[in-house]
C-alpha cells in the first residue's frame, strides 16, 4: 500500500517560530525519489502541447543552460493531446536509422540521452477513463528508458485556470505512479499553484484555461531544469526564446518560485 503522510512539520515550525499563517500543502503523497542518480547532459522530452507551446520546453532548457554556462543538449518529441501510449519511446531514444548521428553523438555507454522526461496528457492522471492507461504506459516507458541505460522522470502538470482544486489530485496521482516505479517526479503543477498563491495576477495560462503562456512555459522549464540539475537558476539573463521575452521582475519571480518549489518538494 502506498505510504501517505501530510507535510505538517515545516508548517508547524513556521507557526511556532514566526506566528505566521501557513498554506496547506497541495499534495499528500511524499516522493520516494528526490533526484536523479547523475546530473544529465542530454535530455529528451516526451509529451504533448503542454511541452511544445512557446517554442517548447527543450528550447527553454537549452536557453537556461547556455545562460548558466552548463553543457546540456536537449530534444523533444510531442504530439497534440497525446497521452503516453501515443509515443514509441524506444524509437525516440534509440532511433533505428542514422539521422541521429548528424545531431547527437552517443556517449561512451551507447546512449543518445541520459535522462528522458515523460509528460502525460494533462487529465489522464485523474480522469477515471484514462488513469489506468496512464499507470500502465508510464510503467512500460520507464522500463524501456532504464533498459536503454537512461534515467526516467515524470512531469506533473498543472490545474486548469480557475480550478485550483485540481492541483492536489493531479499531484498525488503522479507522485503515486512515480513512487510505484521508483521514478523522479518533477513538481511543475505545484510550482504553478505556488506562483498563483504568491501573486494571483501572474498570467501562467492561456485564455483556453489550459495551455501555458510564455510565463507558464518559463516556469515549467525552470522547475524541470532545477529538479534535474539540482541547482537554482541564478542571475539569469535568459528571458525566453521565440515568444516575447518576459520582463525582469516576472522572470526573477518565476525562477525563485521554481527553486523554492523544487527545494521544498524534495526536502533538499
Amino acid at each position: 500500500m502506498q505510504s501517505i503522510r501530510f507535510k505538517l512539520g515545516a508548517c508547524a515550525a513556521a507557526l511556532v517560530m514566526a506566528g505566521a499563517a501557513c498554506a496547506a500543502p497541495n499534495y499528500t503523497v511524499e516522493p520516494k525519489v528526490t533526484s536523479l542518480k547523475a546530473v544529465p547532459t542530454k535530455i529528451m522530452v516526451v509529451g504533448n502541447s503542454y511541452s511544445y507551446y512557446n517554442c517548447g520546453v527543450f528550447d527553454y532548457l537549452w536557453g537556461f543552460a547556455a545562460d548558466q554556462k552548463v553543457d546540456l543538449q536537449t530534444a523533444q518529441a510531442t504530439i497534440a493531446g497525446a497521452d503516453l501510449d501515443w509515443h514509441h519511446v524506444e524509437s525516440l531514444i534509440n532511433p533505428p536509422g542514422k539521422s541521429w548521428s548528424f545531431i547527437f553523438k552517443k556517449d561512451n555507454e551507447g546512449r543518445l540521452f541520459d535522462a528522458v522526461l515523460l509528460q502525460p496528457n494533462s487529465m489522464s492522471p485523474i480522469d477515471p477513463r484514462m488513469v489506468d492507461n496512464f499507470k500502465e504506459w508510464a510503467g512500460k516507458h520507464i522500463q524501456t528508458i532504464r533498459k536503454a541505460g537512461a534515467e526516467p522522470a515524470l512531469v506533473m502538470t498543472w490545474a486548469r485556470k480557475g480550478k485550483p482544486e485540481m492541483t492536489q489530485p493531479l499531484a498525488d496521482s503522479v507522485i503515486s505512479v512515480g513512487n510505484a516505479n521508483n521514478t523522479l517526479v518533477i513538481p511543475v503543477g505545484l510550482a504553478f499553484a505556488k506562483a498563483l498563491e504568491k501573486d494571483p495576477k501572474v498570467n501562467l495560462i492561456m485564455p483556453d484555461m489550459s495551455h501555458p503562456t510564455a510565463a507558464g512555459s518559463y516556469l515549467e522549464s525552470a522547475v524541470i531544469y532545477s529538479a534535474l540539475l539540482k541547482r537554482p537558476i541564478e542571475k539569469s539573463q535568459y528571458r525566453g526564446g521565440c515568444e516575447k521575452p518576459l520582463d525582469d521582475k516576472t522572470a526573477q519571480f518565476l525562477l525563485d518560485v521554481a527553486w523554492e518549489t523544487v527545494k521544498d518538494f524534495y526536502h533538499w
Side-chain angles (χ1 to χ4, degrees), residues 199-220:
D199 182 3
K201 294 182 180 180
V202 65
N203 185 23
L204 301 177
I205 299 176
M206 298 286 284
D208 66 2
M209 306 296 183
S210 178
H211 290 91
T213 60
S217 292
Y218 192 88
L219 177 58
E220 176 185 11

Side-chain angles (χ1 to χ4, degrees), residues 93-108:
I93 61 178
N94 190 22
K98 295 294 183 182
S99 63
W100 58 266
S101 63
F102 301 107
I103 305 172
F104 290 95
K105 300 299 181 184
K106 291 186 177 182
D107 62 20
N108 292 334

Side-chain angles (χ1 to χ4, degrees), residues 51-249:
S51 291
Y52 73 58
Y53 257 52
N54 307 311
C55 287
V57 165
F58 85 107
D59 194 58
Y60 283 89
L61 293 177
W62 184 89
F64 285 133
D67 174 86
Q68 300 287 290
K69 305 297 190 292
V70 171
D71 182 18
L72 186 68
Q73 291 180 284
T74 60
Q76 184 164 298
T78 55
I79 304 171
D83 205 358
L84 297 180
D85 60 326
W86 290 35
H87 297 282
H88 194 269
V89 170
E90 184 175 1
S91 293
L92 293 175
I93 61 178
N94 190 22
K98 295 294 183 182
S99 63
W100 58 266
S101 63
F102 301 107
I103 305 172
F104 290 95
K105 300 299 181 184
K106 291 186 177 182
D107 62 20
N108 292 334
E109 298 181 34
R111 303 174 303 184
L112 280 182
F113 305 101
D114 48 10
V116 181
L117 278 54
L118 301 172
Q119 183 253 302
N121 179 280
S122 60
M123 292 301 296
S124 66
I126 58 174
D127 188 323
R129 302 168 299 174
M130 303 170 71
V131 66
D132 288 341
N133 189 70
F134 162 60
K135 293 176 181 178
E136 176 186 356
W137 283 93
K140 287 182 176 180
H141 289 333
I142 286 167
Q143 289 181 7
T144 297
I145 293 164
R146 288 195 172 121
K147 185 177 179 181
E151 290 197 74
L154 288 171
V155 178
M156 175 202 305
T157 58
W158 51 89
R160 294 287 198 270
K161 191 171 186 177
K163 294 187 176 181
E165 67 275 8
M166 288 177 59
T167 300
Q168 182 172 312
L170 271 170
D172 285 350
S173 179
V174 177
I175 298 168
S176 295
V177 172
N179 287 351
N181 291 279
N182 294 310
T183 296
L184 184 74
V185 171
I186 301 176
V188 175
L190 299 182
F192 271 57
K194 185 182 289 291
L196 291 168
E197 288 165 4
K198 288 176 173 287
D199 182 3
K201 294 182 180 180
V202 65
N203 185 23
L204 301 177
I205 299 176
M206 298 286 284
D208 66 2
M209 306 296 183
S210 178
H211 290 91
T213 60
S217 292
Y218 192 88
L219 177 58
E220 176 185 11
S221 304
V223 173
I224 291 171
Y225 183 96
S226 293
L228 296 182
L229 277 70
K230 294 190 69 173
R231 64 172 71 181
I233 301 170
E234 298 180 314
K235 299 178 181 178
S236 177
Q237 300 302 308
Y238 178 68
R239 297 291 179 260
C242 62
E243 292 297 314
K244 184 177 180 179
L246 301 177
D247 63 85
D248 291 348
K249 182 178 179 181

Side-chain angles (χ1 to χ4, degrees), residues 5-7 24-31 156 167-169 171-172 175 190 261 264-267:
R5 64 187 177 90
F6 288 87
K7 290 181 63 182
N26 283 309
Y27 63 101
T28 65
V29 182
E30 288 287 341
M156 175 202 305
T167 300
Q168 182 172 312
D172 285 350
I175 298 168
L190 299 182
T261 301
D264 290 350
F265 182 66
Y266 300 130
H267 304 300

